[in-house]
Amino acid sequence: MKSTALLLTTLLVLAGCSSTPSRYQHRQDFTPRPISDVHSLPEPTPKAEPRSAMGNPVSYRVFGKEYRLLPTAEGYRERGQASWYGMKFHGHTTSNGEIYDVYQFTAAHKTLPIPSYVRVTRLDNGKSVVVRVNDRGPFHGGRIIDLSYAAAVKLGMERQGVADVEVEVISPAQPKAERWVQVSALRDAEAAKRLQQQLQQRLQDAGWTVSISPSADPAPLHRVRIGPVPEGDALQQLLQELQPLNLGQPLLLARHQL
C-alpha cells in the first residue's frame, strides 16, 4: 500500500505507534475519493512561521532508529523516493497537532523543522508541487518524504504510490527591517514646519513621508523624521539625497525607538 508514515502528536505517541494500532479507525491505508480537478486546489503560500510547540524534539526514535532534527531548514535539498499516505490517517492529528487532510498539500518529513515549506519535483516528468511539512515520516528505507494524496495527484504518482523526486526547501520572503531617518530636532515649531515642507517637496518623487514628532517635554523638541524606509538600497539612496542639504549626521531609528 502507499505509505507507512506515522502521524505523531508527541514523542511518546511517535515511539509507541508500532504497538498501538487502535489509534486509527482502519488497519490498512486506502485511496481517498478521486480529485476531479487537482489544479483547482490552492497550493500553500510559503510564509514565515514559528516552530510548532509539538513535533520538534531535538531527537526521537522510531523502530529502533534515532532521528535528529535539522537545526534549520535553510539550504535543504535532497533526492530520493517519495510516497503518499491516505484515508487511514485522514482526520487524525499530525505531529504538530494539526488534522491531516488528504485533500490539502501537506507532507511528512523525518528531520525538517515543522512547519517547513518544500517544493517536491518528480524527476521523470518534471511535475512539481509546493507542500507544507507538518508531520513526521516516512519510516521506510529509501523514502525521504511522505505526501498527502492531493500532492501525489499533482505529481501524477497516486497510482504507483512512489516516485523519485527532488525535495527543496522554500525559504519564505522575510519582511525587510524599516528605519525612520531623523534629520533634525528643533525647539522652533515654525522652523521644523519649514524643514518638513522643504524635505517633502524634495522627496516627493520618491514618495517618502516627512513628519514632525514633538516630544512630551515642557519645552518640546520638534523632531523631523522621514519614514518608514526599508533598509537596503532605498535607505542608502535617501541618505545620499540628504547629503547636499548639510543637515548633519541623520539619526537612524527603529520602530521601537520612535
Side-chain angles (χ1 to χ4, degrees):
M1 194 62 181
K2 315 297 183 296
S3 163
T4 57
L6 303 179
L7 298 151
L8 316 169
T9 54
T10 67
L11 192 54
L12 290 176
V13 171
L14 188 153
C17 275
S18 61
S19 62
T20 55
S22 61
R23 179 169 182 251
Y24 304 106
Q25 295 172 275
H26 307 282
R27 293 182 61 85
Q28 300 294 328
D29 200 359
F30 61 99
T31 303
R33 174 177 50 82
I35 299 172
S36 59
D37 182 12
V38 71
H39 298 289
S40 67
L41 300 178
E43 294 182 16
T45 300
K47 60 182 179 180
E49 294 185 67
R51 287 197 181 201
S52 300
M54 299 168 60
N56 284 305
V58 174
S59 65
Y60 63 93
R61 186 175 294 272
V62 177
F63 301 145
K65 183 175 180 179
E66 184 178 30
Y67 299 90
R68 297 191 67 84
L69 264 61
L70 296 171
T72 177
E74 292 293 327
Y76 172 86
R77 178 185 289 184
E78 186 177 5
R79 289 190 174 189
Q81 201 171 60
S83 50
W84 64 270
Y85 55 129
M87 291 303 293
K88 175 181 177 180
F89 308 96
H90 182 72
H92 290 274
T93 52
T94 63
S95 296
N96 68 346
E98 296 175 354
I99 301 300
Y100 176 56
D101 185 340
V102 294
Y103 301 111
Q104 299 293 319
F105 292 108
T106 60
H109 193 278
K110 293 185 283 288
T111 58
L112 279 173
I114 292 177
S116 295
Y117 292 85
V118 299
R119 182 180 300 279
V120 183
T121 303
R122 184 170 167 179
L123 297 179
D124 61 354
N125 63 13
K127 293 182 178 180
S128 68
V129 63
V130 174
V131 295
R132 181 173 175 269
V133 176
N134 67 349
D135 206 2
R136 292 288 170 222
F139 301 110
H140 261 271
R143 300 184 189 178
I144 61 172
I145 195 166
D146 223 359
L147 302 172
S148 66
Y149 174 66
V153 172
K154 195 71 176 283
L155 297 181
M157 56 171 280
E158 73 276 16
R159 291 188 181 274
Q160 70 262 43
V162 294
D164 292 328
V165 299
E166 180 175 82
V167 179
E168 183 179 10
V169 161
I170 302 175
S171 298
Q174 298 289 337
K176 286 188 176 181
E178 295 177 323
R179 293 289 182 263
W180 281 256
V181 181
Q182 182 169 304
V183 296
S184 188
L186 303 169
R187 296 287 186 192
D188 188 333
E190 289 301 318
K193 183 67 174 179
R194 289 193 297 271
L195 178 58
Q196 178 198 27
Q197 293 172 345
Q198 176 190 357
L199 290 172
Q200 196 68 77
Q201 183 176 9
R202 184 180 182 92
L203 300 173
Q204 61 182 349
D205 292 339
W208 305 125
T209 299
V210 184
S211 60
I212 297 176
S213 177
S215 67
D217 302 331
L221 287 171
H222 298 84
R223 298 166 294 192
V224 182
R225 294 171 174 168
I226 306 166
V229 182
E231 282 189 344
D233 294 342
L235 181 59
Q236 293 306 313
Q237 183 178 352
L238 173 59
L239 294 176
Q240 291 176 6
E241 187 77 17
L242 294 175
Q243 281 182 354
L245 301 180
N246 297 317
L247 295 171
Q249 183 65 35
L251 182 62
L252 304 183
L253 303 171
R255 184 180 296 275
H256 69 274
Q257 296 172 303
L258 299 179

